[in-house]
Amino acid sequence: MTEYFNIKKVQYEGPNSKNDFAFKFYNPDQILLGKKMKEHLPFAMAWWHNLCNGGKDIFGDETADKSFGAETKTMEHAKAKADAGFEMMEKLGIEYFCFHDLDLVAEADDIKETNRRLDEISDYILEKMKTTGIKCLWGTANMFNNSRYMNGAGSTTSADVFCFAAAQVKKALDLTVKLGGKGYVFWGGREGYETLLNTDMKFELDNIANLMSMAVEYGRKIGFKGDFYIEPKPKEPMKHQYDYDAATAIGFLKQYGLDKDFKLNVEANHATLAGHTFQHDLRVSAMNGMLGSIDANQGDNLLGWDTDQFPSNVYDTTLCMYEVLKAGGITGGLNFDAKTRRPSYTREDMLHAFILGMDSFALGLLNAAKIVEDGRIDDFVKERYSSFESGIGAEIVGKKTKLEDLAAYAEKLGEPALPESGRQEKLEAILNTVMFG
Ligand code: XLS
Ligand code: NI
Ligand code: NI
């Protein structure tokens, strides 16, 4: 079989190694807080960015050749992509992949033919999964590229397009179950609007929820036991997207009674587009018991779009893994929803990108474990609210008070003392010492 990546399996060589094709920090079998590093970090490859995307942007053509030696849009090409993908995952020690239906095969003019192609490629992929032990993290349907989805899928203005979307979701669920996927994602790419002058927002939201409810019903019927996920994103491609951020998506799920079957797939670069930190959206999801999976990438603070970079910012990976550890881990995985920069167009660049991302998350995990073990930050937060542990504070928390009781307490007390200092600078210094000390 053709070898696409001309290297041996990437090994851990430690921080002093100068080998570009070695891990400096990701040491899969190293035990941390009672678990192997690779169990803390269930990395996944995104089929679309790595095996499909050639770097096309609105001003220019592809720079990377993703034909993998086959004529594009053929089944040979679909299989060559699978071969290359599995070779790369094996060489990097990546145990999961994520896919859209239309990452796997080219869409045909007729949905029946598209589905036949999907059956053929999923048989092929299933064989590769059996021989390599690589697993599917989640599947999804691409309901944003084709022009029929100009107004969205669940939020479309056309009942016929809605049915087409339903057909794609049904097939993508079939594929996810066939490949044993842990999750099924709804990223509402075009589920949003450009102007309220032509939009019935309430109607669109009801329809999206309806599509999701039907997906849950069908998925459970065919034996899907995993989690459904909403992946929030505030904008791009639409001006306004309904799944704006974690808090909005959770409210939506609760409103429509979908919160038992759904969790969130939080993407770093989407959280920042919504004006939050990555850590914020992770915390919002975790505190609602809905942190399911993570799209592990990073954006660029100077740009206002989803740049989908491989993570290199260790502060961010540290605070991400700190949230994950505090949440007791995730049932999903860490999907590198990320691509190499357009001028980094070679296969070596793909490997460098994953090694960067995996090492950045390994560093983040090592640091997060140190923060937890050090305990000063967690202790400070606990202490900060200690006035609610006894006396009137405990009564408030225990819901034993009325507004009149508190007013009487306040009148007797007079002007309260200022709350204790928030000590942000001290805590940031502790973080630095824990990370670099
Ligand atoms: C786009 C999204 C997309 C989803 C899957 O911004 O991140 O890649 O993860 O549809
Ligand atoms: Ni994503
Ligand atoms: Ni994204």
Side-chain angles (χ1 to χ4, degrees), residues 45-343:
M45 178 200 74
W47 213 272
W48 53 105
H49 285 309
N50 294 287
L51 306 175
C52 308
N53 187 300
K56 205 173 158 89
D57 72 12
I58 42 172
F59 296 105
D61 291 338
E62 303 195 327
T63 54
D65 176 7
K66 296 282 169 83
S67 69
F68 297 105
E71 193 186 327
T72 55
K73 302 200 164 151
T74 61
M75 285 312 284
E76 287 62 46
H77 182 222
K79 288 175 187 169
K81 288 198 298 186
D83 292 343
F86 274 86
E87 185 194 325
M88 187 179 77
M89 288 186 276
E90 271 203 292
K91 287 188 167 165
L92 287 161
I94 292 205
E95 293 188 358
Y96 293 93
F97 64 88
C98 300
F99 70 94
H100 300 83
D101 49 358
L102 301 179
D103 300 340
L104 304 183
V105 296
E107 186 169 28
D109 291 337
D110 173 11
I111 189 171
K112 291 200 268 327
E113 168 58 13
T114 307
N115 287 348
R116 193 207 58 75
R117 293 179 188 177
L118 287 168
D119 290 338
E120 185 181 336
I121 197 69
S122 52
D123 285 343
Y124 190 76
I125 291 172
L126 203 52
E127 276 312 306
K128 293 197 150 288
M129 291 171 70
K130 280 185 193 143
T131 51
T132 59
I134 290 170
K135 300 174 278 287
C136 173
L137 182 62
W138 52 255
T140 187
N142 179 331
M143 305 191 293
F144 40 88
N145 265 130
N146 193 292
S147 49
R148 76 177 81 87
Y149 294 122
M150 65 173 75
N151 300 320
S155 67
T156 182
T157 50
S158 153
D160 287 352
V161 172
F162 190 94
C163 294
F164 204 97
Q168 267 191 265
V169 171
K170 177 175 177 288
K171 188 67 184 175
L173 272 164
D174 289 337
L175 293 172
T176 303
V177 170
K178 176 171 174 181
L179 301 178
K182 287 211 227 179
Y184 183 86
V185 164
F186 281 91
W187 167 59
R190 293 191 193 271
E191 312 289 37
Y193 66 85
E194 298 295 329
T195 171
L196 286 175
L197 292 175
N198 65 13
T199 302
D200 185 337
M201 197 199 294
K202 170 84 167 64
F203 186 79
E204 294 195 358
L205 283 162
D206 287 350
N207 270 358
I208 295 170
N210 193 355
L211 181 62
M212 289 180 176
S213 300
M214 288 191 272
V216 169
E217 193 194 357
Y218 178 74
R220 297 307 179 213
K221 198 160 61 197
I222 61 167
F224 176 60
K225 301 219 166 37
D227 288 317
F228 288 86
Y229 300 125
I230 282 187
E231 182 181 323
K233 186 178 183 183
K235 57 184 169 192
E236 198 209 7
M238 299 305 265
K239 176 177 153 185
H240 180 95
Q241 285 172 199
Y242 294 128
D243 303 324
Y244 194 91
D245 58 2
T248 312
I250 291 168
F252 168 87
L253 291 171
K254 290 192 171 163
Q255 183 187 353
Y256 290 99
L258 291 161
D259 50 315
K260 302 283 170 296
D261 294 282
F262 273 79
K263 289 195 167 79
L264 297 195
N265 180 38
V266 176
E267 177 162 322
N269 204 167
H270 296 183
T272 51
L273 285 179
H276 304 306
T277 58
F278 182 22
Q279 189 188 10
H280 171 95
D281 260 22
L282 293 167
R283 177 74 63 91
V284 170
S285 307
M287 73 192 199
N288 283 283
M290 291 175 100
L291 177 54
S293 203
I294 291 174
D295 271 8
N297 60 12
Q298 80 180 29
D300 185 313
N301 283 340
L302 303 183
L303 301 174
W305 62 91
D306 199 9
T307 58
D308 287 331
Q309 292 167 230
F310 276 85
S312 63
N313 183 323
V314 176
Y315 277 99
D316 286 345
T317 59
T318 297
L319 295 173
C320 168
M321 290 314 295
Y322 175 55
E323 293 303 319
V324 169
L325 290 181
K326 279 159 73 86
I330 46 172
T331 48
L334 294 161
N335 169 41
F336 289 117
D337 192 352
K339 55 189 178 223
T340 57
R341 298 305 83 198
R342 193 163 178 267

Side-chain angles (χ1 to χ4, degrees), residues 328-384:
I330 46 172
T331 48
L334 294 161
N335 169 41
F336 289 117
D337 192 352
K339 55 189 178 223
T340 57
R341 298 305 83 198
R342 193 163 178 267
S344 305
Y345 59 88
T346 71
R347 292 196 190 139
E348 286 79 19
D349 292 305
M350 291 167 74
L351 298 167
H352 292 158
F354 275 93
I355 292 169
L356 167 71
M358 293 163 84
D359 269 342
S360 300
F361 262 89
L363 273 170
L365 170 66
L366 289 162
N367 289 331
K370 281 198 239 162
I371 298 173
V372 171
E373 276 162 1
D374 176 88
R376 276 178 290 172
I377 291 179
D378 287 330
D379 289 349
F380 181 85
V381 175
K382 190 166 184 312
E383 178 58 28
R384 195 159 181 235

